[in-house]
Amino acid sequence: RQEPPRHRSPLASSSPGEQQKSEGLIELYHSFGDMFNFFCTNTTIHGTVRLVCSSHNRLKTTFWSLLFLATFGMLYWQFGLLFNQYWKYSVIMTVSLHSEPKMFPSVTLCDMNPHRSLLVKKYLEDLDEFAQENIYSLYKLNITERQAEGQGFPATGPSSNRSFHLDRSIYLEKLDWGTNNRVGFRLCNSTGGDCFYRTHSSGVAAIRDWYQFHFINIMSLLPPYNETSHEAHDGNFIFSCCYDGGACQKKDYEVFHHPVYGSCYTFNNRGMNDFWKANRSGLTHGINFILKAEQNDHLPLLSTEAGVKVIIHARNQTPFLEYQGFSIRPGTETTIGVREDEVHRLGGQYGRCTKDGGDVDVQLLYDSAYSMRACLHSCFQELMIQTCGCGYYFYPLPEGAQFCNYNQHPAWGHCFYKLYQNLESHRLPCFSRCPKPCWESLYHLSAGVTKWPSSKAEDWILSTLGKKDNSREKRNSVAKVHIFYQQLNYRSVDETPVYSVTQLLSYMGSLWSLWFGSSVLSVVEMLELLLDAAALALVLGYRRFLGSRTMNVGALEGPGEGARALAIQQDLSWPPWETETTSRSSISGGGPLQGPSVRIPVYGRFQGPWLQSGLKP
C-alpha cells in the first residue's frame, strides 16, 4: 500500500530566523530540564549558572547545588526573623524638641480643710464621740472636746426619730497576729458568713481609714453637688493672684469642694483664654499666689495635714487629688518649675489608644476631657453599682443611682473593699476597657522651698494681709506659691514603628542582595519560572491522562468488525508542534479510501500528540 506523500508545513522548511519570528504568544518547554537550563543560564540571580555550566563535573555541580540551597535557606530563615519582628508591631519612642508659645497648664489649689456641712452636723458629732471611745479603748487617751471639735454639749445617742444611725458594730480593735501588732476593723457580708479585717500597721492610718469609712456613710445623706462649704472662706483663701504681671479675674477660676481636701480652686481649666498663653519663661512670667493656710480643725480625724494642696495638670481634665500634687507648708514660699512633654501614641495595631474617648465602652462620669484615670473611676463606679447596689461616695454618681451607706446597704463596705482589691490586682476588666489617650501632656515639676515671710519683713507683710495681732502665730497661716515654665522648649515623645512597611521592604532587599546579589526583577524571574513549571506540569498531566484513557478504550472494545479504534500517534521527529492528520477508511470488498490530508500547524516548543481515527471492517 502506498502512503500518500506527507506534506510538511511551510514552518518546517523555513529558516530558524523565520521560525522565531512566527512563534506563538505562549510558549512551553520540551521538558523540565530544558526549562531549568534556560532559567539558570539567563537569570540575573548570581550563582545559578554554576548549576548547569559544569554539568560534566559532578563535584562542582554538587558543591554549587548545596551552596545554593544553603544560601536559599539562610535567606528565608532571616526573612522569618524579620517578619516575626514586624508582626510584633513593636514601637520605639523618638524625642524631638520644639520651641513655641504654649498655653499655661491648669492649676488647682485646695485648702486641705474639710468642713462640716450643716445638714449632717449632728451625725458628725456622733461620729466624733464614737471615735473618742475607740481611741480611749485602744490607747487610753482622752481627746478633749476642742480637739474633736465638740460644741460644748454631749452628742446624743441613737434615737428613733433620726434617719441615720451609726453602725457601732464596726469599731477599731487591736489584732495580735504573731509578731505584728495591727489595728483595724472588721467588715462582713450581708449574711455574716464572710468577714475580713481592714488592718494597718500604723494606728494613725487605721484611725483615719476607720473614721473615713463612717464619714462616707454620713456624707452620702447629702444630695449630690450640694456642698457649698467653700463659701465659708468669703473669698479670703486667695489673698492675691497675678499671672505674667496681670491680676487674675474671677472668671479665670472654677470652684469645687472635695470631702477630704476641702475647697478647691482651678485656674485656666478650659484653656480657651489667650490671657493664659505663655510667651516667655521664667519666674517673673508665671503665676503667683498668696494663700490663706489656716486650719480650723473642723475634722481633725479626717484631715491631719496643714497647708495647701497644689496640683498642675492638663487643661480640661479632672485633678485627682489623691494621686498627685504638692503639699505646701504654711509660712513658706514655694517655687515650682514646669517642663512639659507631649506624648503621641500610634494606636491601631501598634497598641490600643483613644483620641477622645468616643470609642470607649465606659460612660465617663466626669465633666472633662478623657483621661485613663477618669475612665477607671467611671468603670469602677459602674461595677460598684452593679455588684453592690450603690455608688462610692468619692466618685461621681450616674443618673438614677444612690450613694452607699450601711443603713440602707449593710454589706456595702465588704463588697467595696473586695471589689477594689480586685481592681488593684487587675482582675477587673477596667484596665482593658480604658486605653491610654493617643495624645496627652505630661508635666515634670521641680520645687524649691524657703521661709516666708522673713523675720525682717514679716511685720509689714502680715500687717498688709490683715494679720496684725500675734504675728508670730499668724505667720504660719499664710503661704506663697510661684508656678512658672522653666523653658518654653517642650519635648514631643512620639511612637514610631520599629519596622514600617518601607523599612521592611528595604531590609528584605538588603538580605536578598546579600545572599543572591539580585533585585526585584530577579524575583519576577522566579515567579515566571514557577508559572512555567505549573503550566508544563498541567500539560504533561493532561497528556498522560489522555494516553491512559485511550489505552482503556482499546482494551475494552478490542479488534472486531464494525469496531472503531482510537489511536494516539506521536511523531517526535517532526519539527516542534507541527502535526498532520489523514483520514483513512476501508470498506469490505473495496480498496482503501484515501481522503485529503489535513495539516494543522501548532506553534511552540511542545510536541503534542495528534489524534488519527479510522474505520475498520
Side-chain angles (χ1 to χ4, degrees), residues 300-313:
L301 297 178
L302 181 66
S303 176
T304 59
E305 299 172 288
V308 177
K309 187 83 167 180
V310 177
I311 302 173
I312 299 170
H313 55 93

Side-chain angles (χ1 to χ4, degrees), residues 19-68:
Q19 181 178 354
Q20 184 176 4
K21 291 180 181 179
S22 59
E23 286 182 349
L25 179 63
I26 300 176
E27 297 182 0
L28 295 178
Y29 297 93
H30 292 268
S31 63
F32 287 103
D34 292 343
M35 179 179 63
F36 183 72
N37 288 336
F38 179 82
F39 175 79
C40 292
T41 305
N42 298 279
T43 185
T44 57
I45 299 175
H46 292 183
T48 53
V49 70
R50 295 286 183 175
L51 299 176
V52 295
C53 71
S54 301
S55 58
H56 60 280
N57 191 330
R58 294 184 178 181
L59 180 61
K60 286 187 176 182
T61 302
T62 303
F63 170 76
W64 281 99
S65 298
L66 294 177
L67 182 60
F68 185 82

Side-chain angles (χ1 to χ4, degrees), residues 133-208:
E133 297 173 2
N134 281 265
I135 294 175
Y136 183 80
S137 65
L138 290 176
Y139 302 104
K140 307 302 179 185
L141 176 66
N142 286 320
I143 300 180
T144 63
E145 291 180 353
R146 179 179 178 274
Q147 290 174 321
E149 280 298 304
Q151 301 300 317
F153 51 87
T156 60
S159 61
S160 58
N161 59 352
R162 290 195 175 188
S163 59
F164 177 82
H165 304 282
L166 283 174
D167 189 350
R168 293 181 174 265
S169 65
I170 303 176
Y171 57 89
L172 285 169
E173 54 184 312
K174 284 187 177 180
L175 305 172
D176 187 8
W177 290 357
T179 57
N180 296 326
N181 293 324
R182 303 178 70 85
V183 181
F185 54 97
R186 188 177 67 168
L187 295 170
C188 298
N189 62 358
S190 56
T191 62
D194 182 17
C195 299
F196 74 94
Y197 283 92
R198 174 80 173 169
T199 62
H200 298 271
S201 58
S202 168
V204 175
I207 292 173
R208 286 193 62 191

Side-chain angles (χ1 to χ4, degrees), residues 198 380 417 419-428 431:
R198 174 80 173 169
F380 181 82
Y417 285 112
L419 196 64
Y420 194 79
Q421 184 178 5
N422 291 334
L423 176 68
E424 291 181 328
S425 58
H426 289 235
R427 288 197 292 264
L428 293 182
F431 283 94

